[in-house]
Amino acid sequence: MDLRGRGRHFSLVIAAALLVLLAALATLQYRWIGQVSALERQRMEASLRTAAVRFADDFDRELARVLGYFHGNPLAPPDEELAGMARQLDRWLAEAPFPQLVRDVHHVSRDDSGVWSLRRLRRGSGFEPRPWPADLEPLRRRLKEDTIWRGSGLPIDPDLAGLVIPFPRGTSEEGFLIVRVDREAIEKQLLPALVHRHFGGLDSDVAVLDEADPPRLIYSSNPDLPGEAFRSGDVRQPLFTLRPFQELRGLRRFIHRRGPRGATGFLSFRHAPPPGAGIAAHSPARHWWLVARHRDGSLEEAVARIRVHNLLVSAGILALLVATIGLLMAATQRQQRLARQQIEFVAGVTHELNTPIAAIRSAGQNLADGVVEEPGQVRRYGALIEREGRRLTAMVGEVLELAGIQSGRRNDRALPVAMGELVDGALADCREILDAAGVRAEVDVPAGLPPVLADPEALRRAVRNLVENAVKYGGSNKWVGIRARAEARQVVIAVEDRGPGIAREDLPRLFEPFFRGRNAAEGSVPGSGLGLGIVRYVVEAHGGRVMVGSGPGGQGAAFTLILPAAPEPEGAAAPAEAAG
């Protein structure tokens, strides 16, 4: 295997190894993103659950605060205990963080005849009798049916949205203290404050639902969402579940005081559920529920969106790596190809330069040694030297032309150029080659073609290169055709021959510098491979394009130059219209 094959094989091995590593990296990245997504879901759920538990603790702590203010003193006489409720109400209004939370305080008692009476606590005057209002009729009905709560362990009545406390204790009178909370204060003051405190840094929507039938929406942090959106939240936490908060520790000494019918004082820590236990057997049959859900709909949807985002970013990075590897491999292949082309160019130019130099040196040596003395021979030797020198000059000119193309230092002079003059000048430059090869040039350039704005010398060289190629590769037919025509503000110049044509495999690289096709290599046709590269650069520099195809009748090759026509000068059409 030669060095070129080894280098190509080594590049392919490196590319394959990099692709395998990228595939392994993509697999690991996919698994890692899955693990990270699962951990992220656990973290988000833990954050929501922690916030919900703290929210419920603070909410229930406010109820415990109410219970702490209005529990009374069972060691005091009943009349003094009832009278002390007025002072507790004043204290509550002065000290509580949310004084509007307590809507009203009522005392319900039953006399010996079994009739339940209602009294309302007023500031400064104590308890005053009042008729049963409509919103307390459910309580009165339950009292008649003897289904009111008695010492079940948690003094909360969800229908009343408040506390039901056996009161007073230690007497023969059976009664209750009803401390109702204000739902408007809960909805507009307490719940927004707790949501801001515990869920302010979380991307979530929060609602409080009443577990009635049907469930009722009490509060929502997002008014645009209906209550049905919170039926299945990410986290649910019950409210109105009193627990032994620190604020209630001082009430332990009243636990075992019993009423006349065996009712517990008002709160039994022995049966209270532990913190975080959720709904306990001693909880009321219905609750308010705190429901939290991610703003994307659910934690699963949020995590799925994050995972897709991470996968897209990772896929983009891997695609960028693959593209970078591809570009590096392409650049390496191109650099190797350019290096081979430059080596071939040096070899070809060296061979081409050696032929005229050898001829010039041989003729000069014969003249210097006096071998040639007759005037006719001297003239022939002089013509040989002049011809080979011209050939050498043309070759050096092509090299310099290519150097100017690649360096970008060329400055084209744009002048109006007539097609007839351009073709005639190119044929004059090639006359000696045409005559020496015995090639007949057929020219079809109609008069009146629009001129093109071009560098006359550069465009003439381009046409001359095409004519010279047609002479070199035209075969034994000895014919070259040059045709020009105008098409839609464009001028088209075609140079054709009737030779063997161009191999299909050579077409993609035909205009690359230093490239020589198979016909040139097999036929040992002299040349450096620079002519067509210079042609393409010149045509594209003039805003045109070059195309290659088959010659007349499907034989040979046809190179077509398409150049934009020069714009008509202003007022040029006016005389013609006037003449008409």
Side-chain angles (χ1 to χ4, degrees):
M1 183 182 295
D2 58 2
L3 292 178
R4 183 184 305 174
R6 291 179 182 177
R8 186 180 298 110
H9 180 71
F10 183 70
S11 299
L12 291 177
V13 169
I14 292 179
L18 290 176
L19 289 177
V20 170
L21 289 176
L22 282 176
L25 179 62
T27 303
L28 293 176
Q29 185 79 356
Y30 180 81
R31 294 180 179 177
W32 177 79
I33 289 176
Q35 296 174 358
V36 169
S37 299
L39 293 175
E40 179 65 15
R41 192 202 181 285
Q42 295 177 7
R43 185 195 65 81
M44 295 170 66
E45 184 177 7
S47 298
L48 279 180
R49 191 167 299 280
T50 300
V53 170
R54 292 177 178 175
F55 182 103
D57 286 347
D58 285 355
F59 183 88
D60 294 340
R61 184 173 281 107
E62 293 301 322
L63 297 181
R65 194 190 309 275
V66 174
L67 183 61
Y69 272 83
F70 295 98
H71 69 276
N73 184 4
L75 300 180
D79 294 339
E80 294 183 8
E81 189 175 5
L82 287 175
M85 289 297 100
R87 294 191 297 271
Q88 292 300 98
L89 179 60
D90 293 336
R91 284 187 56 206
W92 170 265
L93 296 176
E95 300 174 358
F98 298 94
Q100 293 83 5
L101 189 62
V102 173
R103 175 183 175 184
D104 51 33
V105 180
H106 290 86
H107 182 245
V108 180
S109 61
R110 183 167 62 178
D111 56 19
D112 296 335
S113 62
V115 178
W116 292 93
S117 61
L118 180 69
R119 293 185 296 172
R120 181 177 182 178
L121 179 61
R122 294 186 178 276
R123 295 188 63 183
S125 58
F127 287 96
E128 297 179 356
R130 66 167 299 187
W132 286 88
D135 56 350
L136 287 180
E137 277 300 322
L139 174 63
R140 185 180 185 182
R141 193 161 45 247
R142 291 167 59 191
L143 289 171
K144 289 182 179 180
E145 297 171 358
D146 201 21
T147 59
I148 189 65
W149 169 91
R150 285 188 180 87
S152 63
L154 294 176
I156 298 176
D157 191 312
D159 292 325
L160 297 176
L163 305 179
V164 180
I165 307 171
F167 194 94
R169 292 171 294 277
T171 67
S172 60
E173 181 181 4
E174 184 175 7
F176 300 93
L177 195 67
I178 308 299
V179 183
R180 292 196 298 174
V181 296
D182 192 332
R183 294 201 179 199
E184 184 175 358
I186 291 178
E187 296 174 10
K188 295 184 179 180
Q189 297 183 22
L190 179 59
L191 293 180
L194 295 181
V195 168
H196 178 73
R197 181 187 306 170
H198 299 290
F199 292 92
L202 300 178
D203 194 12
S204 60
D205 294 320
V206 181
V208 175
L209 300 177
D210 185 355
E211 199 187 38
D213 188 17
R216 186 172 63 89
L217 181 65
I218 302 296
Y219 167 81
S220 175
S221 62
N222 187 352
D224 297 332
L225 292 178
E228 289 76 9
F230 296 95
R231 293 292 178 86
S232 59
D234 297 315
V235 173
R236 292 171 60 88
Q237 186 71 21
L239 303 178
F240 280 126
T241 56
L242 289 185
R243 296 181 293 283
F245 296 108
Q246 187 65 34
E247 292 86 342
L248 305 181
R249 296 296 182 182
L251 305 181
R252 286 181 179 272
R253 63 183 183 275
F254 305 128
I255 291 177
H256 301 292
R257 302 279 295 182
R258 296 183 177 273
R261 298 176 62 179
T264 305
F266 58 90
L267 187 64
S268 175
F269 290 114
R270 293 175 297 174
H271 302 290
I279 306 175
H282 300 287
S283 301
R286 205 178 86 227
H287 294 275
W288 283 11
W289 285 88
L290 170 69
V291 182
R293 46 161 271 178
H294 197 276
R295 288 181 182 173
D296 289 334
S298 66
L299 288 178
E300 286 76 10
E301 295 178 7
V303 172
R305 185 173 287 105
I306 294 174
R307 183 175 184 180
V308 170
H309 179 267
N310 291 337
L311 287 175
L312 290 177
V313 172
S314 299
I317 294 175
L318 292 177
L320 182 60
L321 290 177
V322 172
T324 303
I325 293 174
L327 291 176
L328 288 176
M329 296 301 299
T332 301
Q333 294 293 333
R334 183 174 180 274
Q335 190 173 9
Q336 293 176 353
R337 185 170 63 252
L338 290 177
R340 291 195 301 269
Q341 291 176 352
Q342 289 174 353
I343 293 174
E344 294 172 358
F345 166 72
V346 172
V349 169
T350 302
H351 176 75
E352 293 297 323
L353 290 176
N354 187 59
T355 301
I357 290 175
I360 292 173
R361 288 186 60 190
S362 177
Q365 186 69 33
N366 290 336
L367 290 174
D369 293 342
V371 175
V372 180
E373 296 180 353
E374 296 180 2
Q377 290 181 336
V378 171
R379 284 194 297 272
R380 286 197 299 274
Y381 272 76
L384 174 63
I385 293 173
E386 194 274 336
R387 183 175 63 253
E388 295 298 331
R390 189 166 58 246
R391 178 182 174 187
L392 184 61
T393 301
M395 193 175 304
V396 173
E398 287 184 348
V399 175
L400 294 177
E401 182 80 13
L402 180 63
I405 292 173
Q406 294 180 340
S407 64
R409 294 192 301 267
R410 181 181 179 88
N411 293 320
D412 295 334
R413 298 177 293 106
L415 298 174
V417 179
M419 288 297 100
E421 296 178 0
L422 177 67
V423 173
D424 291 342
L427 288 176
D429 294 339
C430 299
R431 179 57 56 192
E432 184 176 349
I433 298 176
L434 291 169
D435 294 341
V439 174
R440 179 175 61 88
E442 182 178 328
V443 180
D444 182 12
V445 181
L449 291 177
V452 296
L453 286 178
D455 179 353
E457 182 180 350
L459 194 56
R460 181 172 169 175
R461 177 184 290 275
V463 177
R464 184 176 72 234
N465 284 345
L466 294 179
V467 174
E468 290 177 353
N469 281 351
V471 173
K472 291 179 183 179
Y473 304 103
S476 59
N477 290 294
K478 307 296 183 180
W479 178 87
V480 173
I482 304 175
R483 310 180 188 279
R485 66 183 185 276
E487 290 184 357
R489 299 305 304 164
Q490 291 180 331
V491 178
V492 180
I493 307 173
V495 179
E496 306 165 345
D497 64 62
R498 294 174 180 171
I502 301 172
R504 184 181 300 272
E505 295 80 4
D506 295 337
L507 289 177
R509 300 183 56 194
L510 193 61
F511 293 96
E512 292 183 3
F514 317 117
F515 176 77
R516 304 198 69 202
R518 299 187 179 187
N519 293 336
E522 295 173 358
S524 300
V525 179
S528 61
L530 298 175
L532 291 181
I534 294 174
V535 170
R536 184 179 67 174
Y537 165 75
V538 170
V539 173
E540 291 179 353
H542 288 84
R545 64 184 189 278
V546 58
M547 302 172 59
V548 61
S550 300
Q555 292 183 340
F559 289 86
T560 304
L561 308 183
I562 304 176
L563 299 166
E568 296 182 359
E570 297 181 2
E577 296 175 358

